[in-house]
Amino acid sequence: MKDVAKKYFKLFSEKDLEGLDELFDANATLRDWEIQAIGKLNVFIAMKEIFDSVESIDVRPINLGSWQEADKPMTVIAELEITTNDEKIAVVDIIDFTKEGKILGIRAFKG
């Protein structure tokens, strides 16, 4: 799932909603310090708002780890450096996946 997470970060950096579409489950969720979106359509609306609010965005993974507990989805934790326009922020993403390898949920934390 780390490869899917890396693809997500690349497509997000490219603001490629069409490419991102294939990565997400229909029931996907997104939560960060400002946004809570439930369902793939609402997640994509939230991402489009992010893309429209910045001229450029670059998501650079620093560290990636993964684990899976019995009867739980695969999870990837990513320490990220995100640059929007000229501002850099440290972010940690916790990404849950379906058994089919689709993104089911993203929880993002600043710091």
mmCIF file of all heavy atoms in Angstrom, residues 66-86:
data_model
loop_
_atom_site.group_PDB
_atom_site.id
_atom_site.type_symbol
_atom_site.label_atom_id
_atom_site.label_comp_id
_atom_site.label_asym_id
_atom_site.label_seq_id
_atom_site.Cartn_x
_atom_site.Cartn_y
_atom_site.Cartn_z
ATOM 1 N N SER A 66 3.853 1.154 7.499
ATOM 2 C CA SER A 66 2.551 0.514 7.301
ATOM 3 C C SER A 66 2.369 -0.627 8.280
ATOM 4 O O SER A 66 3.339 -1.175 8.801
ATOM 5 C CB SER A 66 2.412 0.003 5.863
ATOM 6 O OG SER A 66 3.357 -0.998 5.599
ATOM 7 N N TRP A 67 1.110 -0.937 8.550
ATOM 8 C CA TRP A 67 0.789 -2.088 9.353
ATOM 9 C C TRP A 67 -0.629 -2.534 9.070
ATOM 10 O O TRP A 67 -1.403 -1.819 8.468
ATOM 11 C CB TRP A 67 0.996 -1.808 10.844
ATOM 12 C CG TRP A 67 -0.140 -1.102 11.512
ATOM 13 C CD1 TRP A 67 -1.243 -1.665 12.069
ATOM 14 C CD2 TRP A 67 -0.300 0.303 11.680
ATOM 15 N NE1 TRP A 67 -2.077 -0.690 12.565
ATOM 16 C CE2 TRP A 67 -1.510 0.527 12.347
ATOM 17 C CE3 TRP A 67 0.468 1.411 11.335
ATOM 18 C CZ2 TRP A 67 -1.967 1.790 12.671
ATOM 19 C CZ3 TRP A 67 -0.002 2.663 11.662
ATOM 20 C CH2 TRP A 67 -1.191 2.838 12.324
ATOM 21 N N GLN A 68 -0.930 -3.760 9.524
ATOM 22 C CA GLN A 68 -2.283 -4.286 9.384
ATOM 23 C C GLN A 68 -2.555 -5.205 10.556
ATOM 24 O O GLN A 68 -1.789 -6.132 10.819
ATOM 25 C CB GLN A 68 -2.456 -5.044 8.079
ATOM 26 C CG GLN A 68 -3.878 -5.514 7.871
ATOM 27 C CD GLN A 68 -4.109 -6.089 6.488
ATOM 28 O OE1 GLN A 68 -3.171 -6.418 5.780
ATOM 29 N NE2 GLN A 68 -5.357 -6.212 6.107
ATOM 30 N N GLU A 69 -3.637 -4.922 11.259
ATOM 31 C CA GLU A 69 -4.092 -5.793 12.325
ATOM 32 C C GLU A 69 -5.146 -6.732 11.751
ATOM 33 O O GLU A 69 -5.765 -6.427 10.735
ATOM 34 C CB GLU A 69 -4.691 -4.969 13.472
ATOM 35 C CG GLU A 69 -3.670 -4.084 14.156
ATOM 36 C CD GLU A 69 -4.278 -3.303 15.300
ATOM 37 O OE1 GLU A 69 -5.299 -3.750 15.875
ATOM 38 O OE2 GLU A 69 -3.742 -2.238 15.620
ATOM 39 N N ALA A 70 -5.356 -7.850 12.410
ATOM 40 C CA ALA A 70 -6.346 -8.819 11.944
ATOM 41 C C ALA A 70 -7.708 -8.153 11.793
ATOM 42 O O ALA A 70 -8.137 -7.391 12.660
ATOM 43 C CB ALA A 70 -6.431 -9.982 12.922
ATOM 44 N N ASP A 71 -8.366 -8.431 10.690
ATOM 45 C CA ASP A 71 -9.713 -7.920 10.400
ATOM 46 C C ASP A 71 -9.802 -6.397 10.376
ATOM 47 O O ASP A 71 -10.866 -5.833 10.573
ATOM 48 C CB ASP A 71 -10.729 -8.481 11.396
ATOM 49 C CG ASP A 71 -10.832 -9.991 11.300
ATOM 50 O OD1 ASP A 71 -10.729 -10.525 10.175
ATOM 51 O OD2 ASP A 71 -10.996 -10.638 12.353
ATOM 52 N N LYS A 72 -8.699 -5.724 10.165
ATOM 53 C CA LYS A 72 -8.674 -4.257 10.049
ATOM 54 C C LYS A 72 -8.081 -3.905 8.697
ATOM 55 O O LYS A 72 -7.352 -4.691 8.095
ATOM 56 C CB LYS A 72 -7.813 -3.631 11.155
ATOM 57 C CG LYS A 72 -8.265 -3.918 12.555
ATOM 58 C CD LYS A 72 -9.199 -2.857 13.035
ATOM 59 C CE LYS A 72 -9.571 -3.171 14.469
ATOM 60 N NZ LYS A 72 -10.177 -2.101 15.141
ATOM 61 N N PRO A 73 -8.360 -2.694 8.205
ATOM 62 C CA PRO A 73 -7.765 -2.305 6.916
ATOM 63 C C PRO A 73 -6.266 -2.064 7.036
ATOM 64 O O PRO A 73 -5.762 -1.786 8.131
ATOM 65 C CB PRO A 73 -8.491 -1.005 6.565
ATOM 66 C CG PRO A 73 -9.015 -0.477 7.849
ATOM 67 C CD PRO A 73 -9.237 -1.668 8.743
ATOM 68 N N MET A 74 -5.558 -2.211 5.920
ATOM 69 C CA MET A 74 -4.147 -1.857 5.865
ATOM 70 C C MET A 74 -4.043 -0.362 6.097
ATOM 71 O O MET A 74 -4.861 0.411 5.593
ATOM 72 C CB MET A 74 -3.550 -2.232 4.515
ATOM 73 C CG MET A 74 -2.138 -1.724 4.270
ATOM 74 S SD MET A 74 -0.898 -2.460 5.343
ATOM 75 C CE MET A 74 -0.642 -4.015 4.522
ATOM 76 N N THR A 75 -3.054 0.055 6.856
ATOM 77 C CA THR A 75 -2.869 1.467 7.172
ATOM 78 C C THR A 75 -1.452 1.890 6.847
ATOM 79 O O THR A 75 -0.501 1.162 7.130
ATOM 80 C CB THR A 75 -3.160 1.729 8.665
ATOM 81 O OG1 THR A 75 -4.512 1.343 8.944
ATOM 82 C CG2 THR A 75 -2.973 3.186 9.032
ATOM 83 N N VAL A 76 -1.320 3.067 6.246
ATOM 84 C CA VAL A 76 -0.016 3.674 5.986
ATOM 85 C C VAL A 76 0.042 4.982 6.767
ATOM 86 O O VAL A 76 -0.912 5.757 6.757
ATOM 87 C CB VAL A 76 0.201 3.950 4.476
ATOM 88 C CG1 VAL A 76 1.451 4.790 4.238
ATOM 89 C CG2 VAL A 76 0.301 2.640 3.705
ATOM 90 N N ILE A 77 1.148 5.181 7.456
ATOM 91 C CA ILE A 77 1.396 6.457 8.130
ATOM 92 C C ILE A 77 2.528 7.136 7.375
ATOM 93 O O ILE A 77 3.569 6.524 7.118
ATOM 94 C CB ILE A 77 1.790 6.262 9.602
ATOM 95 C CG1 ILE A 77 0.631 5.655 10.382
ATOM 96 C CG2 ILE A 77 2.191 7.598 10.221
ATOM 97 C CD1 ILE A 77 0.928 5.429 11.834
ATOM 98 N N ALA A 78 2.309 8.396 7.030
ATOM 99 C CA ALA A 78 3.288 9.132 6.233
ATOM 100 C C ALA A 78 3.638 10.449 6.912
ATOM 101 O O ALA A 78 2.743 11.249 7.200
ATOM 102 C CB ALA A 78 2.743 9.395 4.841
ATOM 103 N N GLU A 79 4.923 10.632 7.162
ATOM 104 C CA GLU A 79 5.416 11.934 7.596
ATOM 105 C C GLU A 79 5.717 12.709 6.326
ATOM 106 O O GLU A 79 6.459 12.237 5.461
ATOM 107 C CB GLU A 79 6.676 11.768 8.434
ATOM 108 C CG GLU A 79 7.282 13.077 8.876
ATOM 109 C CD GLU A 79 8.614 12.906 9.572
ATOM 110 O OE1 GLU A 79 9.125 11.768 9.676
ATOM 111 O OE2 GLU A 79 9.155 13.937 10.001
ATOM 112 N N LEU A 80 5.131 13.902 6.202
ATOM 113 C CA LEU A 80 5.193 14.655 4.958
ATOM 114 C C LEU A 80 5.717 16.069 5.177
ATOM 115 O O LEU A 80 5.513 16.647 6.242
ATOM 116 C CB LEU A 80 3.796 14.769 4.337
ATOM 117 C CG LEU A 80 3.020 13.479 4.131
ATOM 118 C CD1 LEU A 80 1.580 13.787 3.770
ATOM 119 C CD2 LEU A 80 3.682 12.623 3.071
ATOM 120 N N GLU A 81 6.331 16.591 4.132
ATOM 121 C CA GLU A 81 6.614 18.018 4.051
ATOM 122 C C GLU A 81 5.782 18.533 2.886
ATOM 123 O O GLU A 81 5.954 18.095 1.749
ATOM 124 C CB GLU A 81 8.086 18.276 3.798
ATOM 125 C CG GLU A 81 8.412 19.766 3.716
ATOM 126 C CD GLU A 81 9.869 20.020 3.426
ATOM 127 O OE1 GLU A 81 10.658 20.122 4.379
ATOM 128 O OE2 GLU A 81 10.209 20.075 2.225
ATOM 129 N N ILE A 82 4.854 19.435 3.190
ATOM 130 C CA ILE A 82 3.964 19.974 2.169
ATOM 131 C C ILE A 82 4.303 21.440 1.964
ATOM 132 O O ILE A 82 4.324 22.222 2.918
ATOM 133 C CB ILE A 82 2.488 19.811 2.559
ATOM 134 C CG1 ILE A 82 2.162 18.314 2.725
ATOM 135 C CG2 ILE A 82 1.577 20.454 1.509
ATOM 136 C CD1 ILE A 82 0.744 18.025 3.155
ATOM 137 N N THR A 83 4.567 21.781 0.706
ATOM 138 C CA THR A 83 4.851 23.169 0.348
ATOM 139 C C THR A 83 3.709 23.677 -0.513
ATOM 140 O O THR A 83 3.406 23.096 -1.556
ATOM 141 C CB THR A 83 6.187 23.275 -0.426
ATOM 142 O OG1 THR A 83 7.216 22.674 0.342
ATOM 143 C CG2 THR A 83 6.533 24.727 -0.702
ATOM 144 N N THR A 84 3.064 24.742 -0.038
ATOM 145 C CA THR A 84 2.028 25.406 -0.818
ATOM 146 C C THR A 84 2.504 26.817 -1.077
ATOM 147 O O THR A 84 2.808 27.544 -0.137
ATOM 148 C CB THR A 84 0.686 25.447 -0.075
ATOM 149 O OG1 THR A 84 0.868 26.071 1.184
ATOM 150 C CG2 THR A 84 0.120 24.057 0.119
ATOM 151 N N ASN A 85 2.575 27.163 -2.361
ATOM 152 C CA ASN A 85 3.150 28.441 -2.755
ATOM 153 C C ASN A 85 4.538 28.534 -2.123
ATOM 154 O O ASN A 85 5.414 27.783 -2.503
ATOM 155 C CB ASN A 85 2.225 29.601 -2.418
ATOM 156 C CG ASN A 85 0.854 29.460 -3.063
ATOM 157 O OD1 ASN A 85 0.701 28.831 -4.109
ATOM 158 N ND2 ASN A 85 -0.157 30.029 -2.446
ATOM 159 N N ASP A 86 4.747 29.366 -1.109
ATOM 160 C CA ASP A 86 6.064 29.470 -0.475
ATOM 161 C C ASP A 86 6.056 29.004 0.974
ATOM 162 O O ASP A 86 7.049 29.166 1.689
ATOM 163 C CB ASP A 86 6.565 30.925 -0.536
ATOM 164 C CG ASP A 86 6.865 31.357 -1.961
ATOM 165 O OD1 ASP A 86 7.326 30.511 -2.752
ATOM 166 O OD2 ASP A 86 6.619 32.536 -2.279
#
